[in-house]
Amino acid sequence: MIGTDSPLFRPLEIRSLRVSNRIVMSPMTRAHSPNGVPKENVADYYRRRAHGGTGLIVTEGVAIEHETAVDSPSVPRLHGYDALEGWRRVVDAVHDAGGRIIPQLWHVGPLWGAMGKVDRALKPMRPSGTWGAAGSTSYPREYVSRALKPTAPMTEDDIAEVIAAYAGAAANARAVGFDGVAIHGGHGYLLDSFLWRSTNTRDDAWGGDLERRVAFPCAVVAAIRAQVGPDMPIVFRFSQHKQQDYSARIADNPAELGVILRALVDAGVDVLDASSRRFDLPAFPGDDLSLAGWAKKLTGATTMAVGSVGLGTSLRTSRIDGVAASRNNIPELERRMSIGEFDLIAIGRLHLADPQLANTLQRKSELPDYNRSVHESKLI
């Protein structure tokens, strides 16, 4: 295992945010906030990871103030007095433990209705009224069949309302003391659905060629930057794969990826969070460079990798097969970070198994057995 001389334990500054190491707790949906309000159990959950040495915590996806942002009443929201007071307690708990924390702003877009019962009279936010081409997915067949039915495309008023909701959530994040803002722009959710050809077949300012498909995510980023000012960092998660189809892509080559990512950085993004099923998976044929590596090469921005750190299977495979065997890919992670391929590493499931994960790595201790630890801890 690695120790204090590893690139994982070098500090990093991003605008006003200074983190003590490069280990990030990746956002993972928990839905433990009744009526959208985070309670003491949520504060304790994140405090333990901060106390365990993790440099930066990105919260689970947090609902912006829009009626179809999320489809579970237990997903935390970032609006309303009670929810904001709850987040103040979470932020204070993390800061008291020496950590840093940012919320991941979330609108599920085309995937609204996947997690629970919803009011079918409401319209899901879909750029062109489509769920996307159904491919390799872990969603149940009955849900996919229902989701494939076309709905009304987003109107100009819809687009304006959602942009305003993101901006309002960012203002709330600043008000309660978060250290930055993260945006979920991957996995087939709303922002990503504007980037993906399968869900964006518009021919207006918000769709058509790649430059127009990235316009809506950029408008959201710019609105957020206007609210948080010049000091707070903005993190943007993007991905090739979608929950509708794990083989989907927003960019077929580095040139196309560069168009998307450079536009986002120009709009105000500081950290590009490249979500892939494995952090070391080559992004394009003929080159070993990861998705996070290409993001850095194409933009020069700070980049973050994520995907199956310390695990032998991807999240999708583990969901289907029920296994997540340990895999010693930490040396490869350290090698890639040491040559500057990417700057931060987001670790998800091992943070569930071991709240002291960063300290475990720093002590050169063995990584936990994910399956056994999570079963015993009940995701505390």
Side-chain angles (χ1 to χ4, degrees), residues 213-256:
R213 293 203 304 273
V214 76
F216 176 70
C218 286
V220 168
V221 171
I224 288 172
R225 174 57 68 200
Q227 290 296 323
V228 302
D231 296 331
M232 290 180 71
I234 297 175
V235 178
F236 190 96
R237 168 161 283 192
F238 71 98
S239 69
Q240 292 274 39
H241 69 278
K242 318 296 166 209
Q243 293 195 72
Q244 298 95 319
D245 182 3
Y246 281 88
S247 64
R249 304 174 76 82
I250 57 172
D252 292 328
N253 53 61
E256 290 183 351

Side-chain angles (χ1 to χ4, degrees), residues 27-339:
M28 292 171 285
T29 300
R30 302 181 69 235
H32 284 186
S33 299
N35 299 313
V37 178
K39 303 289 188 179
E40 281 303 315
N41 63 317
V42 176
D44 289 343
Y45 171 81
Y46 288 119
R47 178 191 54 77
R48 283 192 290 272
R49 276 72 191 177
H51 186 264
T54 294
L56 175 65
I57 292 168
V58 183
T59 73
E60 61 203 288
V62 179
I64 64 174
E65 192 172 4
H66 187 270
E67 61 187 1
T68 61
V70 298
D71 48 14
S72 167
S74 296
V75 167
R77 62 177 185 256
L78 197 51
H79 55 89
Y81 178 83
D82 290 342
L84 297 182
E85 286 299 300
W87 282 119
R88 284 190 177 93
R89 290 189 290 270
V90 173
V91 170
D92 288 346
V94 168
H95 286 170
D96 288 347
R100 297 291 178 264
I101 184 169
I102 62 178
Q104 186 189 65
L105 308 186
W106 198 23
H107 193 301
V108 300
L111 292 164
W112 183 73
M115 291 179 60
K117 295 181 179 179
V118 296
D119 182 355
R120 297 293 169 189
L122 298 176
K123 181 180 75 172
M125 293 294 98
R126 296 175 170 179
S128 304
T130 59
W131 185 76
S136 175
T137 178
S138 59
Y139 279 123
R141 183 178 301 175
E142 59 271 19
Y143 170 73
V144 174
S145 177
R146 183 175 69 245
L148 285 173
K149 296 177 180 178
T151 56
M154 290 177 71
T155 65
E156 288 289 339
D157 286 344
D158 291 332
I159 288 171
E161 287 174 6
V162 171
I163 292 172
Y166 272 105
N172 288 341
R174 184 180 183 90
V176 302
F178 279 109
D179 299 295
V181 172
I183 308 165
H184 202 326
H187 302 178
Y189 296 124
L190 180 58
L191 301 186
D192 194 26
S193 68
F194 274 82
L195 298 174
W196 189 25
R197 295 182 190 92
S198 182
T199 42
N200 187 352
T201 58
R202 303 172 72 104
D203 188 18
D204 61 4
W206 308 107
D209 55 26
L210 194 53
E211 288 80 3
R212 284 181 287 168
R213 293 203 304 273
V214 76
F216 176 70
C218 286
V220 168
V221 171
I224 288 172
R225 174 57 68 200
Q227 290 296 323
V228 302
D231 296 331
M232 290 180 71
I234 297 175
V235 178
F236 190 96
R237 168 161 283 192
F238 71 98
S239 69
Q240 292 274 39
H241 69 278
K242 318 296 166 209
Q243 293 195 72
Q244 298 95 319
D245 182 3
Y246 281 88
S247 64
R249 304 174 76 82
I250 57 172
D252 292 328
N253 53 61
E256 290 183 351
L257 185 63
V259 170
I260 296 169
L261 300 185
R262 282 191 289 269
L264 290 167
V265 170
D266 289 345
V269 168
D270 299 295
V271 180
L272 292 165
D273 175 8
S275 178
S276 58
R277 291 166 63 188
R278 291 206 330 261
F279 76 87
D280 53 353
L281 194 68
F284 300 104
D287 195 296
D288 188 48
L289 205 59
S290 65
L291 190 61
W294 273 111
K296 190 167 188 67
K297 182 175 181 177
L298 291 166
T299 68
T302 301
T303 62
M304 179 161 62
V306 64
S308 301
V309 173
L311 299 172
T313 59
S314 69
L315 178 57
R316 175 179 179 269
T317 301
S318 67
R319 280 176 173 170
I320 293 172
D321 298 337
V323 296
S326 296
R327 177 183 178 218
N328 188 20
N329 56 17
I330 300 298
E332 179 63 10
L333 167 62
E334 188 177 23
R335 183 189 72 81
R336 290 179 184 251
M337 293 193 74
S338 68
I339 63 174

